[in-house]
Amino acid sequence: TPKPSSAASDVYKRQRRETDGGDARVNRIFLTEKGRQFDKKATALVSKIEDEAVRGFSTAEVETLLSLLQRIKKNLSDKPEDIWREEH
C-alpha cells in the first residue's frame, strides 16, 4: 500500500473518524484539537484576505460585487459542458 503524501497525512492528523452507532456504513468525521486550531488560524487568514481584497470599497459596492459574482457563477454552472465545446 502506498504511503499517503505528507499533505494528506497532515490532514488525517487533523481529523478523526467514528463509525455511526446506528449504521456501520456511516462514518462521522470530527476535527481533532490540532484540526480545530488549524481551522481557527485558516478562518482568521481568510478574513484578513477578504478584508484586504475589498479595502476601500463601500458596503454597497461589496454587496454589488458579491451579487455580480453569484450571477456569473450561476451562468457558468447552468450548462458547464457547453462552455468547452467548440461549435464550428
Side-chain angles (χ1 to χ4, degrees), residues 10-44:
D10 200 35
V11 167
Y12 291 119
K13 293 176 187 174
R14 294 180 180 153
Q15 68 181 20
R16 64 182 167 80
R17 294 173 182 255
E18 293 181 10
T19 303
D20 186 288
D23 187 342
R25 299 171 298 173
V26 176
N27 284 307
R28 301 202 180 271
I29 300 174
F30 301 92
L31 291 176
T32 61
E33 181 57 34
K34 187 174 184 176
R36 285 189 293 276
Q37 290 172 4
F38 178 82
D39 181 62
K40 187 176 180 179
K41 289 178 184 178
T43 300

Side-chain angles (χ1 to χ4, degrees), residues 2-88:
K3 291 180 81 173
S5 71
S6 62
S9 178
D10 200 35
V11 167
Y12 291 119
K13 293 176 187 174
R14 294 180 180 153
Q15 68 181 20
R16 64 182 167 80
R17 294 173 182 255
E18 293 181 10
T19 303
D20 186 288
D23 187 342
R25 299 171 298 173
V26 176
N27 284 307
R28 301 202 180 271
I29 300 174
F30 301 92
L31 291 176
T32 61
E33 181 57 34
K34 187 174 184 176
R36 285 189 293 276
Q37 290 172 4
F38 178 82
D39 181 62
K40 187 176 180 179
K41 289 178 184 178
T43 300
L45 178 60
V46 168
S47 181
K48 285 181 182 180
I49 292 169
E50 288 174 344
D51 289 347
E52 185 62 24
V54 296
R55 183 172 33 97
F57 286 50
S58 69
T59 301
E61 289 171 325
V62 172
E63 289 172 358
T64 299
L65 173 63
L66 293 175
S67 175
L68 292 170
L69 290 171
Q70 285 295 327
R71 287 173 54 193
I72 290 170
K73 180 181 174 185
K74 182 182 180 322
N75 289 345
L76 294 176
S77 65
D78 282 346
K79 294 185 179 181
E81 67 280 357
D82 292 343
I83 293 173
W84 306 109
R85 189 175 303 142
E86 288 187 43
E87 296 184 21
H88 296 282

